[in-house]
Amino acid sequence: MTDYSDHIGIIGGGIAGLTLGCALLKEGIPAVIFERMPKETSHGAAISLSVNALRLLDRLDIYADLKNQSFVHNKASIQGPQKQICSFATPEVLTTRRQTLMSLLHARYVSLSGKIFHDYSLESFDSIKCEATFKNKEKHIFKHLVACDGIKSVIRDTFFTLNQKPKYSGYSAWRGIGKSDLQEIHFALGPGGHIVNYPVNNNKDVSFVAVRKENYKFKESWREEGSPADLFDDFSNYDSSIFPELEGSLPLYKWGIYIRPPLKSMITHNITLVGDAAHPMVPFLGQGACMAIEDSYSFAMACKAKILNLSDAQKVYDFVRSKRTKKIQRLSMMQGKIYHIKSSLLVAARNAVMKYTNLPGNDLKRIHDYDAHAETKNHLST
């Protein structure tokens, strides 16, 4: 058994886990990551990151390299299944392959002398001893445990609300990356569904997410591989030119979007939840990865200030993050309802608001203006 009793043990080496590892090590706090997968796989996924996350990545010395390998937007356009509705200015949004961000976070973590152990699946955790047992029978003792292991979090299932398994949201999503000359974020809204396209670099690689509302029984993996023909059949009421060129692209995947109800608290004795382990959400505001980055950064700040009493650090984290993440969960679900309106009268009203007001851009600005560094610092000073 290895003694990591002066380390923060992190379960999960995704965006949340690697961000937390980088933030802790930069603050001089020892951390170690255990990831169940032998290696990272992204399944064609891309992500969007708004300023609320980018300013934190800049503080972690990642933003400059990320920007060089990604695409930065300040404009969006919206259409119906066939007809253009409007264009509007947006706050800065960076879009990129998930793998690009993961690689940069991993490189930064390693440069800070961080260790990550792959193929380590958590079996159990003794919260009194702060001792983790993995399925390979290894045991490790930590100063504190942070669960960054996603919506299927073993830690959440064991130590938080019991018998509250992930629930299908009613939405499914096709995701993939093709080729296009698109230079902005583009939305196509239709009854019961919507499509979002955006460049992820300057090489004409364009990611799309095509979401529809449907009752469907997904496999345990929550994703199924499909073909362009299957995709076009699901969205036959849309102009097919909305999608990037998919011939020769990586495999396409159809995902079930799952959620969990908000928790009263994201902390318990010796355990803190971060990212999707704490607050999985539908992706309609593009804030899932941003919330994980905000969580990770805020918890590291709290640990630095309260290193002699991590239970106090947990309380600061829970206070600062709970209200913010619950609000974004709620607004994300509402955004899906707005996108998928079926009533012709309500569609006309929605389109008029988008076309003749600044509400879409202003709503995004309020979300993006949030500064997790400032919010956590303010609460630590009170």
Side-chain angles (χ1 to χ4, degrees):
M1 178 172 60
T2 304
D3 183 359
Y4 284 114
S5 59
D6 63 339
H7 285 57
I8 304 292
I10 301 170
I11 305 299
I15 291 172
L18 284 169
T19 303
L20 178 58
C22 291
L24 288 169
L25 291 177
K26 190 174 183 185
E27 296 287 7
I29 302 170
V32 60
I33 298 174
F34 294 86
E35 165 58 40
R36 68 180 180 85
M37 298 296 290
K39 60 181 181 179
E40 202 280 326
T41 55
S42 295
H43 298 286
I47 57 173
S48 62
L49 298 169
S50 44
V51 174
N52 47 306
L54 296 177
R55 63 167 61 98
L56 304 179
L57 294 178
D58 194 28
R59 288 179 175 273
L60 295 176
D61 304 316
I62 290 169
Y63 175 65
D65 287 338
L66 180 63
K67 185 175 181 179
N68 289 337
Q69 299 178 49
S70 307
F71 198 96
V72 177
H73 311 256
N74 53 24
K75 183 181 178 184
S77 60
I78 302 177
Q79 69 170 79
Q82 305 288 332
K83 186 178 179 181
Q84 184 75 10
I85 298 173
C86 66
S87 295
F88 59 94
T90 69
E92 180 178 296
V93 174
L94 179 147
T95 51
T96 191
R97 291 179 183 267
R98 183 175 186 272
Q99 184 61 55
T100 301
L101 176 60
M102 288 284 292
S103 296
L104 290 171
L105 285 169
H106 182 271
R108 179 61 176 146
Y109 178 68
V110 171
S111 76
L112 292 165
S113 301
K115 291 183 179 180
I116 180 168
F117 295 91
H118 285 274
D119 209 10
Y120 275 71
S121 185
L122 185 70
E123 184 172 83
S124 63
F125 181 68
D126 184 328
S127 64
I128 304 301
K129 297 180 180 178
C130 207
E131 179 182 275
T133 301
F134 296 88
K135 290 185 178 179
N136 61 9
K137 304 309 177 185
E138 286 193 19
K139 295 184 178 182
H140 299 279
I141 293 174
F142 307 119
K143 185 181 183 73
H144 188 80
L145 185 92
V146 182
C148 301
D149 50 344
I151 189 173
K152 294 183 181 181
S153 173
V154 174
I155 292 294
R156 173 170 172 153
D157 287 340
T158 305
F159 292 94
F160 291 80
T161 306
L162 301 179
N163 301 315
Q164 191 196 75
K165 296 297 183 182
K167 179 183 178 182
Y168 177 52
S169 68
Y171 295 101
S172 66
W174 284 90
R175 301 181 185 183
I177 295 177
K179 291 290 185 178
S180 171
D181 292 323
L182 186 69
Q183 296 290 299
E184 63 186 16
I185 299 176
H186 181 266
F187 295 85
L189 310 181
H194 74 279
I195 303 165
V196 185
N197 290 275
Y198 50 80
V200 295
N201 54 36
N202 291 306
N203 299 320
K204 298 186 177 181
D205 290 323
V206 170
S207 173
F208 76 88
V209 181
V211 179
R212 60 182 296 187
K213 184 82 169 164
E214 64 179 354
N215 294 320
Y216 189 82
K217 182 67 175 179
F218 278 82
K219 297 178 180 177
E220 181 62 25
S221 66
W222 303 349
R223 65 175 179 268
E224 297 177 356
E225 189 171 340
S227 68
D230 296 329
L231 167 66
F232 297 149
D233 184 60
D234 272 359
F235 291 86
S236 58
N237 59 323
Y238 289 82
D239 183 345
S240 62
S241 66
I242 290 172
F243 293 97
E245 175 58 51
L246 298 174
E247 185 176 348
S249 68
L250 294 172
L252 303 180
Y253 291 92
K254 185 177 184 179
W255 303 62
I257 298 174
Y258 281 69
I259 55 175
R260 278 181 159 180
L263 292 169
K264 291 182 179 179
S265 173
M266 300 188 292
I267 62 173
T268 189
H269 180 65
N270 276 334
I271 300 170
T272 300
L273 301 182
V274 166
D276 281 350
H279 44 69
M281 60 188 67
V282 293
F284 306 140
L285 287 175
Q287 288 295 307
C290 296
M291 292 302 102
I293 292 167
E294 288 184 5
D295 284 354
S296 300
Y297 189 93
S298 292
F299 185 64
M301 278 188 71
C303 287
K304 174 67 173 180
K306 306 288 185 179
I307 193 61
L308 297 180
N309 189 340
L310 289 183
S311 64
D312 285 348
Q314 286 183 286
K315 292 172 186 176
V316 170
Y317 167 79
D318 201 40
F319 180 86
V320 171
R321 297 305 302 155
S322 286
K323 183 178 180 180
R324 166 75 167 168
T325 55
K326 287 175 183 176
K327 178 180 179 180
I328 299 300
Q329 280 180 302
R330 184 176 66 253
L331 291 176
S332 296
M333 187 64 76
M334 179 61 67
Q335 195 68 29
K337 294 177 181 179
I338 292 171
Y339 284 163
H340 295 184
I341 291 172
K342 293 183 178 180
S343 162
S344 58
L345 287 177
L346 291 178
V347 166
R350 177 199 67 193
N351 293 354
V353 168
M354 290 178 170
K355 186 173 183 179
Y356 297 112
T357 76
N358 292 323
L359 281 179
N362 290 339
D363 288 344
L364 288 175
K365 188 175 186 303
R366 281 191 288 270
I367 294 170
H368 298 181
D369 279 349
Y370 180 92
D371 187 338
H373 177 89
E375 289 289 333
T376 307
K377 183 177 179 180
N378 286 342
H379 188 65
L380 285 168
S381 65
T382 59

